[in-house]
Amino acid sequence: GQQVMQIPQYQHVQEGEDFTTYCNSSTTLSNIQWYKQRPGGHPVFLIQLVKSGEVKKQKRLTFQFGEAKKNSSLHITATQTTDVGTYFCAGDRGTSYGKLTFGQGTILTVHP
Amino acid sequence: DGGITQSPKYLFRKEGQNVTLSCEQNLNHDAMYWYRQDPGQGLRLIYYSQIVNDFQKGDIAEGYSVSREKKESFPLTVTSAQKNPTAFYLCASSIGGQGSSYNEQFFGPGTRLTVL
């Protein structure tokens, strides 16, 4: 079956440092989504990427979708303590009504 | 106030008992999903439903059952056949429809189930 691998599993940074998490799918995706889960909370949708090579920005967050539509990355510039949480990518193959396969997530800790 | 509700937030059960987790949404979404989350792992799909009276097994359906009698409701039963039921259970919904441009999933607050 489809697999989505995400690295690293953990990332500890000092406030102000940059952070990147990478996602790789074993199959070509229709689209990829990113979610953030705060400690003790539930996942919240951040963004969806659909086009090959697409780059989207949300303030300090930059999302990329690979040319082959099999990999993606999330980059945070100058992290803040409010960025702490787990970041998940989720791949959609486009075959089953919005069925997503989630990566294992990257747990981000930001030290003030 | 639109959203997804799950109840209860914490649930304790004895081993061998079936337990049903509630999930209700008032977003008028067609698609609903159940996930299980364990420490250090991503979200694993248990069951999903695209429309009322229809549902499909996800990646880890063994030991679970669902029903979708109403558009707003998608309860999950954790049966005694589930070998390791202690986990955090998340329900989600999306607008639905294959090819939909808007299939982001909205999650409920989750139910933390502990089987003693």
Side-chain angles (χ1 to χ4, degrees):
Chain A
Q2 181 193 11
Q3 291 190 343
V4 175
M5 305 300 293
Q6 191 175 350
I7 58 169
Q9 187 174 1
Y10 302 94
Q11 187 74 59
H12 307 276
V13 300
Q14 289 293 132
E15 190 172 17
E17 291 182 339
D18 292 356
F19 158 76
T20 304
T21 174
Y22 301 91
C23 191
N24 190 56
S25 170
S26 59
T27 59
T28 301
L29 301 171
S30 169
N31 67 80
I32 194 160
Q33 300 176 22
W34 286 90
Y35 291 79
K36 176 183 179 181
Q37 184 176 22
R38 294 183 185 275
H42 57 275
V44 174
F45 174 81
L46 293 176
I47 207 160
Q48 178 177 288
L49 304 172
V50 178
K51 298 176 184 176
S52 170
E54 189 170 16
V55 178
K56 285 188 176 180
K57 293 190 175 185
Q58 290 179 349
K59 297 184 180 178
R60 294 177 295 105
L61 278 63
T62 301
F63 303 85
Q64 293 188 341
F65 200 11
E67 294 291 339
K69 300 184 75 173
K70 294 180 72 174
N71 56 70
S72 182
S73 65
L74 158 60
H75 179 82
I76 302 179
T77 304
T79 54
Q80 299 176 358
T81 55
T82 53
D83 294 326
V84 298
T86 303
Y87 292 85
F88 293 101
C89 62
D92 181 359
R93 292 178 63 188
T95 56
S96 293
Y97 293 89
K99 178 174 177 275
L100 298 176
T101 300
F102 280 79
Q104 300 94 322
T106 296
I107 300 172
L108 173 64
T109 306
V110 179
H111 300 283
Chain B
D1 214 12
I4 301 178
T5 57
Q6 290 185 246
S7 60
K9 189 170 184 177
Y10 300 95
L11 190 55
F12 297 88
R13 278 295 181 270
K14 292 184 179 180
E15 193 172 344
Q17 290 181 334
N18 290 357
V19 61
T20 297
L21 310 185
S22 165
C23 177
E24 304 279 332
Q25 55 99 359
N26 61 5
L27 300 168
N28 200 33
H29 286 172
D30 283 316
M32 297 187 74
Y33 313 82
W34 273 106
Y35 294 92
R36 170 182 172 137
Q37 187 173 29
D38 296 282
Q41 298 196 38
L43 282 64
R44 293 185 290 167
L45 184 64
I46 305 172
Y47 268 97
Y48 63 107
S49 169
Q50 303 161 7
I51 200 166
V52 174
N53 293 321
D54 184 51
F55 48 83
Q56 288 80 40
K57 293 182 179 180
D59 301 316
I60 56 165
E62 186 175 349
Y64 300 97
S65 66
V66 293
S67 63
R68 186 86 187 276
E69 297 177 1
K70 298 187 300 181
K71 187 175 186 176
E72 305 79 30
S73 178
F74 191 39
L76 173 75
T77 296
V78 184
T79 75
S80 57
Q82 168 50 230
K83 298 194 186 314
N84 186 17
T86 294
F88 187 48
Y89 290 88
L90 287 158
C91 178
S93 71
S94 66
I95 291 176
Q98 191 171 20
S100 169
S101 299
Y102 304 100
N103 63 348
E104 65 182 270
Q105 293 187 10
F106 294 81
F107 285 81
T111 292
R112 194 166 296 278
L113 173 65
T114 302
V115 176
L116 307 171

